[in-house]
Amino acid sequence: MVRYKDREPRGLESGGTVRGGDKGTMRRRWLLGLLLIFVLAGCGGPKADVTVFLMGKSGVPTEIGEKLQASLQSKIGQTPTVQIVTSPLFSLEKMMVEIAAGGHGVLIIPAEQFKGMAQQGGYVSLDDVAKPEDFAEGVIEIPVGGKKEKHLYGIPMEKSLWFKELQLNGKDLFAFIPENAPDPEKAKQVLKIIAQK
C-alpha cells in the first residue's frame, strides 16, 4: 500500500499539473490581466482629450469621480474634454500599471508615492502652469537628463479650489503630469484649472 507521503508527485510528463508557481509569475499574470481589462474598458465611445487618474489612500468611489468630472469640465468649457478615472481601492500595483501605461494626462496620487517616484524622474515641470512659490510643497529636485533640476512638479490638492468647492479633502494628494502623458500641453490646460486656489 502506498501512503500519500510516499507517493512521487506527478510531473507534467505523466499527466500531472503544476500548482502554485512563483509569486513573480502570478503577479505578472495578474498585472497583465488587469491592464487588458483597462484597455478593453476604454474601447467604447469617444476618448477624452485628457484623462485624469485619481487614487487616494482609501480609494475614491465612482460617484465622487463623476462629480469631479462634471465640475472640472464645466470649469474648462468644451475643450479640452476630460475624463476622471478613479479607483475604489488603493493598490500600488494598479497605480504602477496606470502610470506605466502612459494613457493619462494628469495623475492625482498620495504624497508618499508622488515623492517616492520623483527620484526616478519622469515628471513634467509645472513652472509655466502655476507659481512655484504658491505651491512650495510641490517644488522638488528630480533627475532630468543626467542632472538634477528643481521645479514645481506637483500641485497639492488640499489647496485646490476644485476640491474645496465639492467639499473634498485633498490632504496628502498631489496632481502632476507624467512625462509619458499623451498630450502634455492639453494636460497643462487642465492642470491650470485644478491648480486654481
Side-chain angles (χ1 to χ4, degrees):
M1 176 175 207
V2 179
R3 287 177 291 180
Y4 179 76
K5 66 179 185 176
D6 295 336
R7 273 194 283 170
E8 289 291 322
R10 291 176 55 185
L12 291 176
E13 64 280 348
S14 63
T17 59
V18 175
R19 291 184 183 221
D22 69 33
K23 288 183 181 179
T25 301
M26 295 302 289
R27 179 172 279 161
R28 281 192 295 276
R29 286 183 184 164
W30 183 82
L31 288 174
L32 185 59
L34 190 60
L35 184 59
L36 183 60
I37 289 169
F38 290 123
V39 169
L40 292 175
C43 290
K47 186 161 172 36
D49 294 325
V50 178
T51 58
V52 178
F53 176 71
L54 169 60
M55 179 184 281
K57 270 292 185 192
S58 48
V60 180
T62 306
E63 313 81 67
I64 299 293
E66 290 168 357
K67 286 181 185 175
L68 284 165
Q69 182 172 319
S71 169
L72 187 57
Q73 193 67 68
S74 72
K75 289 175 176 296
I76 292 169
Q78 291 187 337
T79 57
T81 57
V82 294
Q83 177 186 8
I84 306 291
V85 178
T86 61
S87 176
L89 300 171
F90 177 82
S91 165
L92 189 57
E93 289 84 7
K94 179 177 179 178
M95 183 185 300
M96 300 310 282
V97 167
E98 293 286 349
I99 293 169
H104 302 296
V106 177
L107 298 163
I108 303 174
I109 62 174
E112 181 182 347
Q113 283 70 37
F114 167 73
K115 291 178 179 175
M117 291 187 304
Q119 298 317 306
Q120 299 169 21
Y123 294 174
V124 172
S125 170
L126 305 176
D127 289 349
D128 58 341
V129 171
K131 294 179 182 176
E133 59 270 20
D134 287 348
F135 301 103
E137 308 91 323
V139 176
I140 52 177
E141 190 174 62
I142 69 168
V144 178
K147 57 184 177 150
K148 293 218 171 196
E149 292 186 15
K150 192 172 190 174
H151 295 283
L152 173 63
Y153 289 106
I155 303 296
M157 294 307 296
E158 67 184 320
K159 293 186 175 180
S160 172
L161 181 64
W162 174 48
F163 261 43
K164 287 178 186 172
E165 286 178 344
L166 293 173
Q167 299 177 344
L168 297 173
N169 182 1
K171 187 170 170 34
D172 293 327
L173 288 175
F174 277 82
F176 67 100
I177 299 173
E179 232 173 35
N180 64 357
D183 190 333
E185 290 311 310
K186 284 184 179 173
K188 283 183 179 184
Q189 290 176 32
V190 171
L191 204 53
K192 275 184 184 176
I193 303 297
I194 291 173
Q196 289 177 353
K197 295 172 76 174

